[in-house]
Amino acid sequence: MGMKKKTRAAGLILLMMFLTVLFPTGAWAEEIKDVTPNAKAAILYETTTGTVLYEKNADMQLSPASMTKVMTAILVLEQNPELEGELTVDERAVSHYYCSSMEPMRHLYAGEVISYEDCLNYLLIPSGNEAGTAFAFELAGDMSAFADQMTAKAKELGCENTEFRDPTGISSYNMTTPRDMAKIAEYALSFEKFREIVCKTEGTVPPSNKREKGFDYENTNALLAPNDLYENPYVGYIKGVKTGWTPAAGYCFTGCMEKDGLTWISVVMGIEDDAYAADGTAIRGDLPETVSLLGLTEGVTAEDLKKPVNGLLLAGVIIAGIVIAVIAAVLYRKKHRREM
């Protein structure tokens, strides 16, 4: 092998070493068995260290159902982070065309005046669909315009596999992935009002210009409270975030758990069937799957997850310098030979 080929080979080897050092493989995720057998796709991500502890088809596009409402809440909070003032529910927001799923006798009415805070509570806690459509018409004047804003925001957050068609999740054409959904949830949790709301177990739509009496509701996220149907050792650590279900999407859940100084975001998607308790009682499928997923965090500390970033960067800089020097030497020799 000539000197020229040797120099190129050495440069290539050093470059591969450089890339390996700076971009190590996700060993955590690869070493763990499938703990979400009923989910088509899932991810478990720790935000403070940026570690993906578990992933299963994390880039598979699936319908997110009402997890969509997390992005709706983001657009609301970006424009009104303190949730000040009131809005009037547009007539179109409660039409069957735009909002085909509302709980009978317990929903918002056309022309109803409601505060931003009460409306966002109703959107995120019991998953009120008409709260989402009301926000869309209030903030964008048009449903498709609001959906475009949702998709654009997802792209801004680095979610390349996400597209929204409505603010509620009713449409089966809404698409995202567990990895993208984790990014969206992490950003949503940066808003104080969002964190406050998704931890509530219940709430109330108050009396208004359209109703003499309000009505109470409960959070669809049953992991927030003790449950006799299945063991959930993480009650008290769960900090939201959002459930979802449609026939097309199956059961979905994006969750947040703060424990032992770490913040975990979990996403499970595409669970088609209910789970069942020992007595045969049906349990929404995403709940035990999420508990199983969170079980992977037992005994895991921040020190376990932290990578020796300083050492890697130092090694990377040294290797990068060597690679650059080798390339420069090759270019110099080429130029010198041409001049001779």
Side-chain angles (χ1 to χ4, degrees):
M1 182 183 292
M3 179 61 67
K4 184 175 179 181
K5 291 184 177 179
K6 287 181 179 179
T7 303
R8 285 181 177 175
L12 180 59
I13 292 170
L14 288 169
L15 181 59
M16 293 301 293
M17 290 171 61
F18 173 61
L19 293 175
T20 301
V21 169
L22 286 189
F23 302 101
T25 57
W28 278 104
E30 292 175 359
E31 294 173 358
I32 297 172
K33 66 178 182 179
D34 183 4
V35 297
T36 57
N38 298 313
K40 291 180 180 177
I43 197 168
L44 180 62
Y45 169 69
E46 203 288 306
T47 66
T48 60
T49 60
T51 304
V52 174
L53 187 64
Y54 173 91
E55 61 179 275
K56 173 184 177 180
N57 300 324
D59 297 308
M60 176 184 286
Q61 281 190 313
L62 295 164
S63 177
S66 284
M67 296 193 305
T68 295
K69 295 181 173 79
V70 176
M71 180 56 79
T72 301
I74 286 173
L75 295 192
V76 173
L77 289 163
E78 283 194 329
Q79 297 190 44
N80 188 353
E82 297 303 318
L83 300 177
E84 298 173 337
E86 298 175 326
L87 62 91
T88 301
V89 178
D90 192 287
E91 184 176 0
R92 293 168 294 175
V94 293
S95 69
H96 183 77
Y97 184 80
Y98 287 113
C99 193
S100 59
S101 180
M102 296 188 296
E103 187 175 346
M105 307 304 293
R106 292 162 57 89
H107 59 80
L108 302 183
Y109 296 112
E112 181 166 6
V113 178
I114 185 171
S115 73
Y116 266 73
E117 185 142 13
D118 285 334
C119 197
L120 196 64
N121 273 274
Y122 182 54
L123 176 79
L124 293 173
I125 298 175
S127 202
N129 290 310
E130 68 276 23
T133 52
F135 277 130
F137 285 112
E138 174 73 13
L139 298 178
D142 179 81
M143 186 69 70
S144 61
F146 190 80
D148 288 344
Q149 291 176 18
M150 295 170 70
T151 300
K153 186 62 189 181
K155 297 294 185 288
E156 183 182 320
L157 295 175
C159 304
E160 296 299 325
N161 296 309
T162 296
E163 182 176 359
F164 294 108
R165 299 292 183 88
D166 67 38
T168 62
I170 293 174
S171 172
S172 61
Y173 294 104
N174 287 341
M175 285 290 167
T176 191
T177 69
R179 196 182 313 279
D180 282 1
M181 199 64 226
K183 293 177 183 178
I184 292 168
E186 183 177 15
Y187 181 68
L189 287 162
S190 70
F191 292 92
E192 183 179 350
K193 286 289 186 180
F194 183 88
R195 295 196 307 272
E196 175 187 316
I197 291 172
V198 295
C199 285
K200 295 179 179 179
T201 57
E202 58 188 15
T204 301
V205 169
S208 70
N209 61 317
K210 292 291 183 178
R211 69 178 77 247
E212 293 184 2
K213 295 182 179 180
F215 62 87
D216 300 329
Y217 51 74
E218 296 180 349
N219 201 318
T220 56
N221 177 9
L223 294 181
L224 287 168
N227 195 310
D228 294 334
L229 295 179
Y230 55 91
E231 184 179 356
N232 177 14
Y234 306 110
V235 172
Y237 300 109
I238 302 295
K239 305 299 179 183
V241 174
K242 190 71 193 73
T243 60
W245 180 86
T246 64
Y251 292 102
C252 311
F253 180 63
T254 297
C256 176
M257 181 179 77
E258 294 178 0
K259 187 173 181 288
D260 300 328
L262 298 173
T263 299
W264 300 94
I265 293 178
S266 62
V267 182
V268 292
M269 300 181 70
I271 300 172
E272 297 179 355
D273 299 318
D274 286 313
Y276 292 90
D279 63 358
T281 304
I283 306 169
R284 203 176 66 229
D286 54 306
L287 300 179
E289 291 284 313
T290 298
V291 172
S292 177
L293 192 57
L294 294 177
L296 296 175
T297 69
E298 289 298 325
V300 177
T301 67
E303 292 303 314
D304 294 328
L305 299 177
K306 286 178 182 176
K307 299 171 183 176
V309 177
N310 292 338
L312 289 177
L313 288 178
L314 178 60
V317 169
I318 294 172
I319 295 173
I322 296 172
V323 172
I324 292 171
V326 171
I327 294 173
V330 172
L331 293 176
Y332 174 79
R333 288 184 180 183
K334 285 184 177 180
K335 180 179 179 181
H336 184 66
R337 286 177 179 175
R338 284 197 298 267
E339 289 176 352
M340 292 178 63

